[in-house]
Amino acid sequence: MKRFKNWKNGTAPLTKTSRKKRLRRRVWGISLFVVVLLAGLITGGLMAGYQIWKDMYEPLPEESVPVDTSSVSQEQKNITFVGGRPPELNLVSPAAVPAEYQEQYTNILLIISDGEEQADLVLLTIDQVHEQIKLTSFLKELWVKIPELEIDHQLDMAYAWGGPKLAAQTIEQNFGVGIDRYIEIDFQKFPELIDQLGGVELTLSEAEADYINRHVDSPGKLDGAGTYNLSGQQALCHAQNRTTQVHDFDSVDRMRDVILATFQRVQTTSDMVCLGKLALDSTSMISTDIELDELSKLLIGCLDYSRYDMFLYRLPDGEDYEKTILLSDGEEKQVLFIQDMDQVRERLQSFVYGDFYQSGVSQTEDVLYNP
C-alpha cells in the first residue's frame, strides 16, 4: 500500500488463556462487522456496492490543507506553562520495513471524530508476519511537533487544523511509524446504529451512571453502579465523558469500550435483515482512502484475521510521561509530554513491527474498562 509522504479498577486478573479467548471473540466481532458490511454491499448489487464504496471513498489531498498560520502562530505565542515545560521535539522519518515484509504489515489510522474537529486516534496494525492484530491509541493531550506548521502543540490540534492528512503526518513524523491508509468514523452517528441493535451492554461506576443521568434526557434513569443496556444516546454520552476518571487513560478507554461493545452486539445479532440495513447505514458515517481493490483484499483476509491474537497499547505508557498545565487565552488545559522520545519510538516500533511476545511492551491488564 502507498504510504503517506512524509489507550483501574477492575475484575480479578485474567489468565493468559482466558484473555486470549476474550480477545479472540472481540476480533471475531470486528471481523463479522466488516463481513456484514461486505454482505450489505453484495446484496445491494454490484453497481450499488460500487456506489456505496464511492460514497465512502475520500482520498487525501495532494497539497496540504490550508491553515491560517497567522492565527496558529498567535495562539502559540499566547501559551504559557504552569509547572514545567516540555522538552525540545524533533521530527523523524518512519521506520524502514524490510522489502519482503512491506506487503505483510498494514497500518490504518482510525480517526474517531466527534463532529466538532476533535478526534481520538488509534493505529490499527494487521501483522501477517506474526499473525497478530495490534491497536495503539494515542492520547489527544500528547505534546507533539506538528509538521507543515512546524509548531509544538497537543496531538488533537493536528486533526483540527489539517484533518486526516496532518493527523497521519504528525503521528508518522513524531513516532516513526508509517501509516498506509486512514478510516474516519463520525461517532456522532453511532447512536443510530446502536439503537438499531437494541442498545449495548456496558458496566458503569456510580459516577459514570450519574454523569449519563445528568446529560441524557431518558425516561429510564440509571440506578447507581452496575451493568446496563444503554441506548445510543446514553452510550455516546458515556464515550464522551471526560470528567470522571480513575487514571489518565479512562476517557480513551470509554470510547474504545463503546465501540467494542457495539461489535460484540453485532456478533450476537442473528437478524440478517437488521444486519444488512446496519451495514448499509454504517457507510454514511465512514470516510476512507482505501482503494476498492485494497478493501477487497482486506475483506477476504478477515477470515484469516479472526484467528489472530489481538494486543492493545497506549501512548503514553506506564511512567514515560509527565503532566503539566498550559494556559492559552485564559483557558487551562492539561498536556502530557514525553521526556525520552527516542525510547518511546523504539518501543512503539518494536510493538508494531515485531512479535508482541518479544517486543518488551506490556499488554493492558484488563482490556475492557470495568470499574
Side-chain angles (χ1 to χ4, degrees):
M1 290 187 175
K2 183 179 179 181
R3 297 188 180 277
F4 293 113
K5 292 190 181 293
N6 278 334
W7 171 309
K8 236 178 219 183
N9 291 336
T11 57
L14 300 174
T15 64
K16 182 177 180 180
T17 301
S18 62
R19 184 181 292 116
K20 276 190 174 182
K21 289 181 179 178
R22 199 169 169 186
L23 290 171
R24 186 164 291 164
R25 286 197 296 270
R26 292 189 187 111
V27 179
W28 265 109
I30 295 172
S31 302
L32 183 59
F33 183 82
V34 177
V35 170
V36 166
L37 175 59
L38 177 60
L41 298 181
I42 294 174
T43 55
L46 184 60
M47 292 303 295
Y50 171 77
Q51 186 60 46
I52 291 172
W53 166 79
K54 190 175 180 181
D55 290 342
M56 294 189 297
Y57 182 62
E58 190 172 325
L60 295 176
E62 290 293 333
E63 298 182 358
S64 300
V65 178
V67 177
D68 185 353
T69 55
S70 61
S71 64
V72 171
S73 298
Q74 186 59 44
E75 179 176 339
Q76 187 79 356
K77 292 178 182 178
N78 293 337
I79 289 178
T80 57
F81 291 95
V82 179
R85 290 188 60 85
E88 290 293 325
L89 297 172
N90 64 292
L91 299 177
V92 298
S93 298
V97 181
E100 63 269 29
Y101 293 143
Q102 285 182 2
E103 296 301 317
Q104 296 178 280
Y105 285 95
T106 302
N107 285 332
I108 301 174
L109 182 61
L110 306 181
I111 304 172
I112 306 170
S113 169
D114 65 0
E116 298 179 355
E117 296 188 337
Q118 294 188 31
D120 287 296
L121 305 178
V122 181
L123 184 65
L124 164 64
T125 301
I126 303 174
D127 177 356
Q128 298 179 64
V129 177
H130 302 103
E131 298 188 346
Q132 297 172 353
I133 299 291
K134 304 163 185 176
L135 291 172
T136 305
S137 54
F138 300 83
L139 266 66
K140 61 179 63 179
E141 296 87 358
L142 270 172
W143 193 254
V144 295
K145 182 175 287 293
I146 300 178
E148 302 290 336
L149 302 178
E150 289 295 326
I151 65 169
D152 297 349
H153 217 292
Q154 291 176 246
L155 178 59
D156 60 341
M157 296 308 297
Y159 173 79
W161 285 331
K165 182 172 185 177
L166 188 56
Q169 290 176 333
T170 300
I171 289 178
E172 280 197 330
Q173 297 182 44
N174 277 270
F175 300 102
V177 173
I179 297 174
D180 301 300
R181 296 298 184 196
Y182 84 91
I183 297 176
E184 184 172 5
I185 304 172
D186 184 353
F187 205 71
Q188 291 295 322
K189 297 181 181 179
F190 232 65
E192 302 171 25
L193 304 184
I194 291 175
D195 288 336
Q196 286 185 44
L197 289 167
V200 293
E201 186 174 288
L202 287 168
T203 300
L204 310 175
S205 67
E206 184 171 357
E208 289 170 330
D210 289 344
Y211 181 87
I212 294 175
N213 287 337
R214 292 197 307 270
H215 292 85
V216 178
D217 186 13
S218 174
K221 295 297 183 181
L222 306 180
D223 186 20
T227 300
Y228 297 93
N229 190 67
L230 302 182
S231 69
Q233 285 300 326
Q234 288 174 322
L236 177 64
C237 179
H238 177 66
Q240 296 179 329
N241 180 359
R242 308 289 183 188
T243 62
T244 60
Q245 59 185 46
V246 178
H247 53 68
D248 294 330
F249 307 110
D250 290 352
S251 60
V252 178
D253 290 348
R254 293 190 187 102
M255 176 77 76
R256 180 196 64 195
D257 295 347
V258 170
I259 294 174
L260 288 174
T262 304
F263 287 140
Q264 288 177 321
R265 184 53 62 92
V266 170
Q267 181 183 12
T268 58
T269 299
S270 58
D271 186 341
M272 296 308 296
V273 174
C274 172
L275 292 177
K277 186 177 186 303
L278 183 71
L280 293 173
D281 291 347
S282 66
T283 60
S284 66
M285 59 184 285
I286 298 173
S287 299
T288 182
D289 66 341
I290 299 178
E291 300 286 349
L292 187 57
D293 61 334
E294 296 171 344
L295 180 60
S296 299
K297 291 177 182 178
L298 287 173
L299 293 171
I300 292 172
C302 273
L303 294 179
D304 285 331
Y305 306 153
S306 65
R307 63 183 175 80
Y308 287 10
D309 286 334
M310 179 185 283
F311 301 100
L312 309 178
Y313 188 43
R314 290 181 288 219
L315 281 182
D317 177 40
E319 300 178 355
D320 60 12
Y321 70 99
E322 295 183 32
K323 294 184 286 188
T324 190
I325 301 296
L326 68 78
L327 297 175
S328 179
D329 294 330
E331 184 179 359
E332 185 176 292
K333 296 180 180 180
Q334 176 178 276
V335 297
L336 309 175
F337 61 89
I338 297 172
Q339 288 286 8
D340 192 343
M341 185 64 88
D342 289 337
Q343 182 183 62
V344 169
R345 288 173 185 146
E346 182 178 349
R347 194 180 306 156
L348 176 61
Q349 292 166 8
S350 179
F351 173 72
V352 170
Y353 295 118
D355 184 346
F356 166 77
Y357 296 106
Q358 299 177 10
S359 67
V361 173
S362 299
Q363 166 71 35
T364 303
E365 274 293 322
D366 190 5
V367 177
L368 290 179
Y369 177 82
N370 189 16

